[in-house]
C-alpha cells in the first residue's frame, strides 16, 4: 500500500498546484479497493484521507509561496497593481477575504485563491489552517460518497 499512498500524495499535491490534475479518481479507486479487501476499512480510510489532505494542502502551500514570490516583482513597470492598490487589497483580504480560503478545495478558483493568499500576505499559519480544513472536508466528503455507494 505504500506505493499507492505515495501516488495519492503526489497526485493530491500536483492537483492543488496550477498544474491540471484530479486526485479524487485515484482516491476513489483506493477507497473501493480498501472496502473490497479484508483490510481494516476505518483505519485505512483514515490514512487515505490524511495522505490526500496533507498532499493537497502542501500543494496549495506551494501556490502560496509562488504568490509571495510574485511580490518581488512589484517594483517593475509591468507589475499589474500599484503599491497603493496592493496595500489596500491586502488589508481588505486579510480582514474579510481569509475565510474564502475554506473554498480552496473548489476546482479552478481554489488554486487561484491559494495563489492570491500569498500575494495578499495572509499569515502562513492562518492560510494553512483554513486550507487544511477546506481540503479535509472535501476529501472526507468524497470518501463518504464512494463508501456510501458500496454499502
Amino acid at each position: 500500500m505504500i506505493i499507492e499512498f505515495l501516488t495519492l500524495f503526489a497526485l493530491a499535491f500536483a492537483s492543488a498546484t496550477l498544474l491540471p490534475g484530479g486526485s479524487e479518481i485515484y482516491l476513489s479507486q483506493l477507497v473501493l479497493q480498501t472496502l473490497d479487501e479484508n483490510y481494516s476499512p476505518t483505519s485505512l480510510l483514515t490514512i487515505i484521507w490524511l495522505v490526500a489532505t496533507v498532499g493537497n494542502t502542501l500543494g496549495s502551500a506551494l501556490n502560496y509561496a509562488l504568490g509571495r514570490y510574485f511580490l518581488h516583482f512589484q517594483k517593475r513597470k509591468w507589475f499589474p497593481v500599484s503599491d497603493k492598490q496592493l496595500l489596500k487589497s491586502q488589508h481588505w483580504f486579510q480582514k474579510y477575504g481569509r475565510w474564502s480560503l475554506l473554498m480552496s478545495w473548489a476546482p479552478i478558483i481554489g488554486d487561484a485563491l491559494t495563489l492570491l493568499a500569498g500575494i495578499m500576505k495572509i499569515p502562513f499559519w492562518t492560510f494553512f489552517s483554513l486550507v487544511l480544513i477546506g481540503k479535509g472536508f472535501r476529501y472526507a466528503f468524497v470518501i463518504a460518497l464512494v463508501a456510501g455507494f458500496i454499502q
Side-chain angles (χ1 to χ4, degrees):
M1 281 302 278
I2 219 59
I3 297 297
E4 288 87 353
F5 291 148
L6 290 172
T7 302
L8 177 61
F9 182 89
L11 287 170
F13 184 94
S15 66
T17 64
L18 299 176
L19 298 172
S23 56
E24 294 83 8
I25 294 169
Y26 191 75
L27 176 118
S28 298
Q29 176 188 344
L30 286 180
V31 169
L32 292 173
Q33 178 184 339
T34 299
L35 295 174
D36 283 346
E37 298 182 13
N38 289 330
Y39 295 122
S40 169
T42 305
S43 60
L44 265 181
L45 291 179
T46 301
I47 294 170
I48 289 169
W49 171 81
L50 188 62
V51 167
T53 300
V54 170
N56 208 246
T57 302
L58 290 175
S60 291
L62 177 61
N63 284 350
Y64 175 90
L66 290 172
R68 290 299 295 258
Y69 180 74
F70 186 63
L71 287 175
H72 287 74
F73 300 106
Q74 74 186 71
K75 300 296 182 194
R76 305 281 170 96
K77 287 184 179 185
W78 55 264
F79 195 79
V81 182
S82 72
D83 287 347
K84 185 177 177 180
Q85 291 171 318
L86 186 61
L87 273 174
K88 186 177 177 182
S89 297
Q90 286 170 337
H91 176 70
W92 183 90
F93 196 82
Q94 287 179 5
K95 189 171 183 180
Y96 303 109
R98 70 179 61 201
W99 298 108
S100 67
L101 291 171
L102 290 170
M103 296 297 294
S104 63
W105 60 267
I108 301 168
I109 66 162
D111 296 344
L113 282 173
T114 59
L115 185 71
L116 186 62
I119 294 170
M120 294 293 122
K121 292 186 176 179
I122 294 295
F124 180 76
W125 291 112
T126 300
F127 161 83
F128 194 83
S129 300
L130 291 171
V131 170
L132 184 69
I133 291 167
K135 306 269 188 182
F137 276 121
R138 188 254 320 259
Y139 282 117
F141 177 76
V142 171
I143 290 170
L145 189 66
V146 171
F149 280 133
I150 296 301
Q151 299 175 7

